[in-house]
Amino acid sequence: MAVCARLCGVGQSRRCRRRQRNNQQDQCSDSDMDEEEGERIVGQRQAENTGPPHPQSLAELPPELLVEIFSLLPGTVLSNVALVCKKFRQILNTETIWRRRCMEEFGMKEDLRNIEAGGVSSQDLYTKRVDPRLKSGRFVKVLPDHDHEHMDYRDVFTRLLHPYRHILGLWQPDIGPYGGLLNVVVDGLFIIGWMYLPPHDPRVEDPMRRRPLFRIHLGESKKATVECMYGHKGPHKGDIQTGKKDEFSTKCNQTDHHRMPGGRQEEFRTWLEEEWGRTLEEIFHEHMQELILMKFIYTSQYDNCLTYRRIYLPPSLPSDLLQPGLFKGTYGSHGLEIIMLSFHGTSARATKLTGDPNVPAGQLTLDVNLSRPMVLPELEQQRSIEELSRLVLGIHEEVQVSGSASESEGMDVTEHGACADSSQSAPTTSTTTSPPEVQPFILPMGVMARNEVYPRTCRKCFYGTGLIAGHGFTSPERTPGLFVLFDEDRFGFIWLELKSFSLYSRLTDQLVHAHAPNMERFEAMLRNMQSWTS
């Protein structure tokens, strides 16, 4: 009974009833706390439900976020985005989007309100110098026909950069055997076609010279205008036609701007000063005078219309002997010419981008066998052309034998291996040893060089062949010679039969939109180049 009474709260023990009342109070406080927590959670959920709803589609995103998203899209799809809805069309009027597209797709880096092109203001961009007698170049500054302050990035992208994107990059003009190198770039508010010219002979290590041939810009009506830059009367009307893939043509509509008051004689003197940096009286070699006059007569036929074909820079591999690319080299009376050095397995090849009546542009001027290294003799022996000829011709005979053996059918492989072994055990055994890192170098007596200043040490030497031919590319043949690697930016070639030395120096200009997509496309381009001039 006592137990039951205590459990019911009516027993004799007063302490039990006090304990019971405390327990009841604790239970009440716990229940109150649970109710408050529940009310707080419910209140938070209600507040969340009353806030802004989550976007259910792209159109419901904030405008600043849409601007960032559209800035990441290629410019070619933005016109389709504008068709989705009125909001997208309005947002696509934001300059930030088109500015980013101009910068990332075409390399435009400056602000349109403070733009510069090639170090000079685009308001002052390149026209022909009226006074051709000045030696500082025939191109100076001219104000464009419109105020660039009214331009916006969308007009520049949609009406200038995008329509003419296919002509950006490197091109070779079709000027018969002479060829050339054209680089079409975005330069400020213009697309400019720069013709690259070698430095004046024989300063092979000087920087390249540039001459603008045409430019494209937006006029007052915001339409793309093509202007020819050739001549002495300033920019004038021109035209560009893009028919075939990787090919386009330029045409001048006002050829009278190319003529000079003094007639052909004044035009020739001006051209000679630009091309060679001297007058005809200063050129004493009669054969060189004939070559110069022949080039002027031939190339002046193309001052009103030219066709260009796309070329690529060669791909680079870690195993390459040096960085492939463009070089300028000395070619005797023909002056300086531009070549492209590329690597193909155990072979290094130099292809002409500019040429001459003997070996035209597009031909393989040098073919170096990287599997045939050579160690030069002592410095005193290098002065003897006979010693160098003995070493090079020894390897040349080996290559001829091995080449004819690989083409023959039914011959015993072991016999040819013995032949190769016996030939390597001859006096040319020193050429097969691994060369030192740096070797002293000097030209043999009797070898002519256009530039007397050349490196006196070299890294490596290899056997190679050079292409020579008569006038008009008659009787072409490959003649043995020595390829000499001086450093990453210079190499040379000794033409044994001609007793001549060519020094090559790297072209250091930054060339954008010019790299080959892959090796297959590059090799196909080389084959096409040879067919253009063969």
Side-chain angles (χ1 to χ4, degrees):
M1 292 296 292
V3 174
C4 290
R6 285 194 297 269
L7 291 176
C8 294
V10 296
Q12 299 178 353
S13 176
R14 184 178 180 183
R15 186 174 52 186
C16 288
R17 288 195 297 271
R18 187 181 295 114
R19 187 184 299 116
Q20 186 178 9
R21 285 195 300 269
N22 293 337
N23 291 338
Q24 290 177 355
Q25 292 177 359
D26 293 341
Q27 291 176 2
C28 289
S29 62
D30 291 341
S31 62
D32 292 341
M33 292 177 62
D34 293 340
E35 290 178 1
E36 292 176 359
E37 182 67 21
E39 291 176 357
R40 187 178 63 82
I41 295 175
V42 171
Q44 288 180 352
R45 291 178 179 175
Q46 290 177 351
E48 291 176 358
N49 293 333
T50 59
H54 293 291
Q56 301 298 318
S57 66
L58 190 64
E60 297 178 4
L61 291 176
E64 59 272 12
L65 189 55
L66 288 176
V67 169
E68 184 65 24
I69 293 175
F70 293 163
S71 299
L72 300 175
L73 297 178
T76 53
V77 304
L78 293 181
S79 58
N80 296 330
V81 175
L83 300 176
V84 175
C85 62
K86 182 179 180 180
K87 180 178 180 180
F88 285 6
R89 185 167 60 254
Q90 292 175 342
I91 290 177
L92 284 175
N93 290 327
T94 307
E95 279 283 85
T96 305
I97 299 174
W98 299 100
R99 181 176 184 270
R100 187 166 181 175
R101 290 298 91 218
C102 291
M103 293 173 60
E104 293 187 0
E105 296 186 26
F106 298 101
M108 181 180 288
K109 300 179 180 179
E110 303 293 340
D111 191 283
L112 287 182
R113 307 301 179 261
N114 187 27
I115 197 164
E116 297 204 351
V120 297
S121 170
S122 64
Q123 290 182 311
D124 306 350
L125 195 63
Y126 318 113
T127 183
K128 205 67 170 289
R129 184 182 297 278
V130 176
D131 187 357
R133 294 172 296 177
L134 299 179
K135 294 185 178 182
S136 56
R138 293 196 299 173
F139 293 90
V140 292
K141 306 171 183 179
V142 66
L143 293 176
D145 298 331
H146 61 279
D147 186 0
H148 74 279
E149 292 289 339
H150 300 294
M151 291 294 166
D152 58 56
Y153 284 101
R154 182 169 187 168
D155 290 334
V156 173
F157 185 95
T158 57
R159 304 188 182 195
L160 176 65
L161 302 182
H162 181 68
Y164 289 95
R165 67 191 184 280
H166 298 300
I167 69 170
L168 299 177
L170 288 182
W171 303 83
Q172 186 178 42
D174 184 8
I175 314 180
Y178 297 103
L181 178 64
L182 179 80
N183 188 26
V184 183
V185 298
V186 176
D187 202 343
L189 283 175
F190 298 83
I191 294 177
I192 301 182
W194 292 103
M195 180 69 82
Y196 276 71
L197 305 173
H200 292 141
D201 182 56
R203 300 192 295 267
V204 68
E205 298 192 34
D206 284 1
M208 296 287 290
R209 298 175 294 129
R210 297 190 307 168
R211 185 178 71 188
L213 292 190
F214 63 87
R215 72 179 185 181
I216 314 171
H217 63 95
L218 296 184
E220 292 181 354
S221 60
K222 295 187 178 181
K223 291 184 179 180
T225 302
V226 179
E227 294 178 332
C228 177
M229 301 291 288
Y230 192 83
H232 69 287
K233 297 181 181 179
H236 47 282
K237 292 182 180 180
D239 188 25
I240 288 182
Q241 298 177 352
T242 55
K244 300 179 181 179
K245 182 182 179 182
D246 293 336
E247 184 176 308
F248 77 95
S249 300
T250 58
K251 181 180 179 181
C252 177
N253 298 330
Q254 294 177 288
T255 55
D256 58 301
H257 282 61
H258 301 177
R259 307 283 79 89
M260 288 188 173
R264 297 288 282 176
Q265 291 186 354
E266 183 180 359
E267 293 174 10
F268 174 67
R269 288 195 301 268
T270 304
W271 175 88
L272 182 62
E273 194 168 334
E274 287 184 354
E275 192 79 11
W276 293 83
R278 63 185 80 174
T279 63
L280 193 63
E281 292 75 18
E282 296 173 341
I283 302 175
F284 302 104
H285 199 288
E286 184 177 350
H287 179 58
M288 182 179 292
Q289 292 180 353
E290 294 176 356
L291 292 174
I292 291 173
L293 185 60
M294 184 188 309
K295 184 175 182 179
F296 170 74
I297 295 174
Y298 193 97
T299 56
S300 60
Q301 304 174 23
Y302 294 85
D303 64 349
N304 63 334
C305 186
L306 266 177
T307 298
Y308 303 88
R309 299 183 179 93
R310 183 179 293 280
I311 58 177
Y312 296 109
L313 293 178
S316 176
L317 296 175
S319 58
D320 292 341
L321 181 65
L322 70 157
Q323 180 73 21
L326 305 184
F327 292 77
K328 44 194 183 296
T330 55
Y331 279 86
S333 300
H334 299 293
L336 300 186
E337 298 183 8
I338 306 173
I339 63 101
M340 176 186 292
L341 181 68
S342 58
F343 293 90
H344 310 261
T346 59
S347 176
R349 300 171 186 172
T351 304
K352 279 191 172 186
L353 297 185
T354 60
D356 51 70
N358 292 68
V359 179
Q363 295 300 315
L364 183 63
T365 179
L366 300 180
D367 190 2
V368 183
N369 192 336
L370 300 179
S371 64
R372 298 284 182 168
M374 294 184 58
V375 176
L376 297 177
E378 296 295 331
L379 200 58
E380 288 300 322
Q381 292 180 308
Q382 291 183 34
R383 299 180 183 274
S384 171
I385 185 65
E386 292 78 12
E387 178 66 17
L388 180 63
S389 299
R390 183 184 67 84
L391 295 175
V392 174
L393 293 178
I395 297 181
H396 182 67
E397 293 177 1
E398 295 177 17
V399 173
Q400 295 296 319
V401 171
S402 61
S404 60
S406 61
E407 296 176 0
S408 302
E409 296 180 359
M411 299 186 67
D412 188 0
V413 178
T414 57
E415 292 181 1
H416 290 280
C419 179
D421 292 339
S422 62
S423 62
Q424 290 179 1
S425 61
T428 60
T429 52
S430 62
T431 62
T432 60
T433 60
S434 55
E437 292 186 359
V438 177
Q439 309 174 64
F441 174 79
I442 192 171
L443 285 176
M445 299 293 294
V447 174
M448 297 178 294
R450 297 288 296 175
N451 197 330
E452 298 295 335
V453 180
Y454 61 89
R456 292 302 195 267
T457 60
C458 64
R459 293 184 182 179
K460 294 181 180 180
C461 296
F462 296 91
Y463 159 82
T465 59
L467 182 61
I468 62 175
H471 186 83
F473 198 42
T474 56
S475 305
E477 63 172 317
R478 306 210 67 85
T479 179
L482 178 67
F483 175 88
V484 184
L485 176 63
F486 296 115
D487 50 44
E488 283 293 322
D489 298 323
R490 293 177 298 178
F491 64 87
F493 190 80
I494 298 178
W495 308 73
L496 288 183
E497 184 170 337
L498 302 178
K499 292 186 178 180
S500 176
F501 173 72
S502 293
L503 178 64
Y504 300 84
S505 177
R506 184 181 298 276
L507 194 154
T508 57
D509 299 64
Q510 296 295 325
L511 304 174
V512 296
H513 305 289
H515 293 278
N518 49 58
M519 195 64 182
E520 291 73 19
R521 287 281 295 273
F522 177 76
E523 291 181 344
M525 179 209 71
L526 289 182
R527 292 190 295 269
N528 291 334
M529 287 179 63
Q530 294 183 10
S531 66
W532 298 339
T533 56
S534 296

